[in-house]
């Protein structure tokens, strides 16, 4: 008997809004505001995610006025205006920004998986993953956002979530891998683990430590009743994508940034 393959169901705009709302709670800015269904976020410039407008739904006013209000809001805080735009939610906003000369940059994939699949990737031959509710100095010393040292206020962004865990793997007294996890609820009620800040020490790479530390976070999140996990990875980072796909992650949607 022939078995017919069932194609993957397309991701709906509702599902994208739901996940991005949960992700915004997992990497929460220090200041937030709203223009209708647009979420404004600022965090003194640390990470584009925490310093950009997420257009989750209709702004409740004419696009011209809404875009101008975004520019004014960021100007008041000494920050450049920026949108984080999920592809399925562009609709009228994308052409409007094109017409105003806003450039597009940094295409990012959002990958999702079942938490149970991810935590099955833990390895007994590697040191155990420890989870703390705050990052210690060794954790912070391992995290280099875009290769740079962290600004002092970064700690406030990293810890600004209701349920956050900082995963560490130590080997022979050295910190060899880290990751950050945040468990948040989407508007639909689905409980997500958001995985960010995955880093492996240069001297410890090619041992599977990145996947191992992510699996440890998934085990922690399962104890908090999270059922699904997401992470963001640049489209050009094919090596990281391959490692995450082995843990069960698959494409959900993509987003990019827009700046004038």
């Amino acid at each position: 008997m022939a078995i017919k393959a069932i194609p993957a169901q397309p991701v709906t705009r509702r599902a994208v809004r739901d996940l991005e709302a949960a992700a915004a709670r997992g990497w929460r800015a220090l200041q937030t505001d709203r223009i209708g269904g647009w979420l404004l976020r600022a965090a003194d410039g640390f990470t584009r995610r925490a310093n950009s407008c997420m257009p989750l739904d209709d702004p409740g006013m004419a696009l011209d006025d809404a875009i101008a209000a975004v520019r004014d809001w960021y100007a008041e805080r000494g920050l450049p205006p920026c949108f984080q735009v999920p592809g399925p939610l562009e609709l009228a906003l994308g052409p409007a920004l094109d017409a105003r000369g806003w450039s597009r940059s940094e295409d990012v994939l959002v990958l999702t998986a079942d938490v149970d699949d991810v935590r099955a990737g833990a390895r007994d031959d590697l040191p155990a993953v420890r989870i703390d509710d705050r990052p210690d100095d060794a954790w912070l010393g391992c995290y280099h956002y875009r290769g740079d040292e962290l600004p002092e206020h970064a700690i406030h962004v990293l810890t600004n979530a209701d349920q956050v865990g900082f995963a560490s793997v130590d080997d022979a007294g050295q910190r060899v891998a880290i990751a950050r996890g945040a468990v948040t609820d989407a508007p639909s009620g689905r409980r997500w683990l958001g995985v960010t800040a995955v880093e492996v020490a240069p001297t410890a790479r090619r041992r599977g430590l990145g996947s191992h530390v992510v699996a440890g976070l998934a085990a922690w999140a399962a104890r908090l009743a999270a059922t699904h996990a997401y992470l963001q990875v640049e489209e050009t980072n094919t090596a990281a994508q391959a490692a995450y796909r082995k843990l069960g992650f698959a494409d959900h949607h993509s987003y990019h940034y827009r700046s004038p």
Side-chain angles (χ1 to χ4, degrees):
M1 181 178 66
I3 298 176
K4 184 177 180 180
I6 300 175
Q9 294 295 314
V11 176
T12 65
R13 286 195 292 271
R14 176 180 294 179
V16 172
R17 289 190 186 98
D18 200 56
L19 174 49
E20 288 294 351
R25 295 169 182 171
W27 193 269
R28 199 159 54 193
L30 304 180
Q31 298 179 59
T32 60
D33 206 344
R34 285 192 176 272
I35 300 172
W38 289 7
L39 175 63
L40 298 157
R41 303 170 293 185
D44 296 328
F46 176 63
T47 78
R48 276 185 138 183
R49 238 176 305 168
N51 293 273
S52 56
C53 175
M54 170 60 76
L56 291 171
D57 215 330
D58 190 276
M61 63 176 71
L63 270 179
D64 278 345
D65 295 336
I67 293 171
V70 169
R71 297 190 72 139
D72 290 344
W73 194 85
Y74 283 100
E76 289 169 2
R77 288 154 182 80
L79 294 168
C82 181
F83 281 93
Q84 179 189 344
V85 188
L89 304 186
E90 271 196 291
L91 300 176
L93 178 60
L97 294 177
D98 287 338
R100 290 159 179 78
W102 287 56
S103 62
R104 172 178 175 148
S105 64
E106 198 179 336
D107 289 301
V108 178
L109 294 177
V110 180
L111 308 181
T112 61
D114 289 341
V115 160
D116 286 343
D117 291 342
V118 179
R119 65 175 175 164
R123 288 174 42 182
D124 294 334
D125 60 325
L126 293 173
V129 179
R130 189 182 81 240
I131 310 291
D132 297 306
D133 58 6
R134 290 188 65 83
D136 59 15
D137 290 342
W139 195 101
L140 293 171
C142 280
Y143 181 38
H144 300 87
Y145 178 71
R146 299 188 180 280
D148 295 329
E149 296 295 323
L150 294 181
E152 289 186 8
H153 63 274
I155 187 69
H156 301 302
V157 177
L158 291 167
T159 57
N160 190 25
D162 293 334
Q163 293 181 305
V164 61
F166 295 87
S168 302
V169 179
D170 292 343
D171 191 14
Q174 299 294 318
R175 185 65 44 88
V176 291
I178 62 165
R180 174 190 180 272
V183 173
T184 57
D185 293 326
S188 66
R190 175 172 286 186
R191 177 159 278 208
W192 288 93
L193 162 68
V195 178
T196 54
V198 180
E199 282 211 39
V200 176
T203 57
R205 289 173 184 165
R206 302 187 182 278
R207 293 172 51 190
L209 284 162
S211 298
H212 180 60
V213 75
V214 172
L217 271 179
W220 164 80
R223 295 192 292 272
L224 296 173
T227 56
H228 294 75
Y230 67 87
L231 51 79
Q232 299 104 339
V233 58
E234 291 186 15
E235 282 192 354
T236 55
N237 193 349
T238 54
Q241 290 176 41
Y244 294 139
R245 293 186 197 284
K246 287 181 181 178
L247 283 174
F249 284 92
D251 292 358
H252 190 273
H253 66 280
S254 64
Y255 66 81
H256 57 273
Y257 290 97
R258 302 294 296 262
S259 303

